[in-house]
Amino acid sequence: MSDKLIADFTVDSPSITVEVTLIKNAITVGNAVGTMSGIPLINNVTSENQTGVAAFFLLGLSEDSELQPFLFGLFLTMYLVTVLGNLLIILAISSDSHLHTPMYFFLSNLSFTDICFSTTTVPKMLMNIQTQNKSISYTGCLTQACSVMVFAGMENFLLAVMAYDRYVAICQPLRYTVIMNSHLCGLLILLSLFISLVDALLHRLMILRLSFCTNMKIPHFFCDLAQVIKLACSNTLVNNILIYLLTSILGGVPLLAIICSYIKIISSILRIPSAGGMYKAFSTCGSHLSVVFLFYGTAFGVYISSAVTHFSKKTAVASVMYSVVSPVMNPFIYSLRNRDMKGALKKLLWRTFSFS
């Protein structure tokens, strides 16, 4: 490229022509020496704007080296509790025929989603801490970002589906088995998965059109979509509009469905004459409401912290709540507040230890 630039530069002055010739010869010699040493001294001009990015760097929650062992132990413990706790719920539901109902079918899918949600982010974080290598490949980063969106979307839709299930069970108990049949339950799960996959795929395709600069540092412990877009050199207006639009629709509609379902549920419960009947009806919704408040409360906390503060580290810490803490708390909420689940877990553990 340097030869082409010099060749295109023509002047009439003999002195300048001599200088240009000397520069051209110097560049030729420099490239020859660089080739022999294996390190090119003068290379083609490289732009800071790169479409094909080699890797990103996840800065994590803290760069303090003394804090890394504590973070590793903490997140390893939380991850193991998440996997084991949710796996126990799935096994307890599948092994107890009394729990083969739509409510527990959705709960087992929620537990599976929580396992996948944590597995998408935490193991990579633990590996980065252990190896002290913060890099993640471009393809791996996009895959992680899209996987987070898929499982977060699944959890969002599952909570709305579970709210509808409670609405039918309390407000239309005589038609519950007819409405919440196995075909509808399976269709609701598949529809939730399909919408989440389309949402993630759309964002992935929009990211592929972006070019990225030389600054590849993500101030987060996983590849958050918004943080990845901030690193782009090209125009990200369409990407930002798409994020806010789809988040508002796919996050707002399920939340609105949950609110409407519980308004009808509460109005129906208040019409129950006996206090015992009201308590029983409320107890069937208590666990689900706790998970709803935990998930949406932490998600709104992340949104508010990212909007108010300009420190990305604070946003990363807030993201821990909905991406790590929420999945680890769900098994405790459903096992401690649900009498049927406690009974099924006791039977499962009894059979396990008696066979051993």
Side-chain angles (χ1 to χ4, degrees):
M1 182 172 179
S2 55
D3 291 342
K4 185 178 182 301
L5 290 174
I6 294 171
D8 292 341
F9 182 75
T10 59
V11 292
D12 295 331
S13 173
S15 61
I16 296 180
T17 303
V18 172
E19 291 178 3
V20 169
T21 304
L22 291 173
I23 292 172
K24 183 176 180 180
N25 292 335
I27 291 174
T28 304
V29 173
N31 283 333
V33 174
T35 304
M36 292 175 63
S37 62
I39 304 174
L41 299 181
I42 301 177
N43 220 338
N44 291 340
V45 178
T46 57
S47 172
E48 289 187 355
N49 191 349
Q50 306 174 31
T51 304
V53 180
F56 291 97
F57 294 92
L58 300 173
L59 299 183
L61 296 175
S62 174
E63 297 184 23
D64 186 359
S65 58
E66 295 181 358
L67 197 60
Q68 299 307 309
F70 170 75
L71 291 175
F72 181 85
L74 176 64
F75 279 88
L76 178 61
T77 303
M78 294 175 71
Y79 177 67
L80 292 176
V81 171
T82 298
V83 173
L84 293 175
N86 284 288
L87 190 60
L88 277 175
I89 286 182
I90 295 172
L91 292 174
I93 292 173
S94 60
S95 62
D96 193 336
S97 59
H98 296 94
L99 300 182
H100 293 176
T101 62
M103 173 182 172
Y104 293 105
F105 171 71
F106 295 132
L107 176 57
S108 62
N109 279 275
L110 181 66
S111 295
F112 178 74
T113 302
D114 284 335
I115 293 174
C116 295
F117 197 3
S118 292
T119 303
T120 302
T121 57
V122 179
K124 178 60 180 175
M125 176 189 180
L126 295 175
M127 187 176 72
N128 288 353
I129 294 175
Q130 186 67 20
T131 61
Q132 297 182 354
N133 181 13
K134 299 181 179 181
S135 66
I136 181 172
S137 66
Y138 176 76
T139 304
C141 187
L142 291 190
T143 302
Q144 188 184 60
C146 292
S147 299
V148 168
M149 294 188 66
V150 168
F151 296 119
M154 273 294 293
E155 184 143 355
N156 184 35
F157 287 117
L158 280 172
L159 291 175
V161 169
M162 293 172 77
Y164 175 71
D165 171 72
R166 291 299 84 206
Y167 157 73
V168 176
I170 293 174
C171 299
Q172 302 183 42
L174 299 179
R175 299 183 58 204
Y176 179 72
T177 55
V178 177
I179 296 174
M180 300 303 296
N181 56 72
S182 58
H183 295 290
L184 179 62
C185 293
L187 182 63
L188 289 173
I189 295 295
L190 290 176
L191 184 62
S192 301
L193 179 60
F194 176 74
I195 295 174
S196 300
L197 285 171
V198 170
D199 176 43
L201 181 61
L202 185 59
H203 283 294
R204 183 186 177 99
L205 292 175
M206 293 302 294
I207 290 179
L208 290 175
R209 58 179 282 275
L210 298 178
S211 299
F212 293 89
C213 302
T214 54
N215 181 20
M216 295 293 125
K217 296 179 180 179
I218 300 175
H220 218 295
F221 67 96
F222 67 89
C223 285
D224 181 61
L225 182 68
Q227 298 294 334
V228 173
I229 291 175
K230 286 181 180 179
L231 300 179
C233 293
S234 52
N235 190 352
T236 60
L237 178 62
V238 177
N239 296 77
N240 290 323
I241 291 174
L242 191 66
I243 286 178
Y244 288 116
L245 180 64
L246 292 180
T247 302
S248 300
I249 295 174
L250 301 182
V253 172
L255 180 59
L256 184 63
I258 293 172
I259 294 172
C260 292
S261 297
Y262 274 102
I263 288 174
K264 293 182 177 292
I265 288 172
I266 292 171
S267 62
S268 297
I269 290 176
L270 293 177
R271 289 198 296 266
I272 298 176
S274 64
M278 292 177 63
Y279 175 77
K280 185 178 180 180
F282 270 122
S283 63
T284 61
C285 304
S287 300
H288 178 256
L289 270 176
S290 301
V291 174
V292 167
F293 282 124
L294 180 63
F295 180 76
Y296 283 102
T298 52
F300 278 123
V302 172
Y303 176 78
I304 293 172
S305 66
S306 62
V308 173
T309 181
H310 297 287
F311 296 101
S312 300
K313 288 290 184 182
K314 292 184 178 180
T315 305
V317 173
S319 299
V320 173
M321 294 301 295
Y322 82 91
S323 62
V324 180
V325 176
S326 182
V328 80
M329 289 300 296
N330 288 353
F332 293 102
I333 292 173
Y334 277 103
S335 61
L336 295 177
R337 295 181 61 89
N338 191 304
R339 185 182 302 173
D340 295 332
M341 275 303 308
K342 283 193 287 187
L345 286 171
K346 287 178 181 178
K347 290 179 183 177
L348 177 65
L349 294 174
W350 173 258
R351 285 198 297 267
T352 302
F353 287 113
S354 61
F355 280 117
S356 62

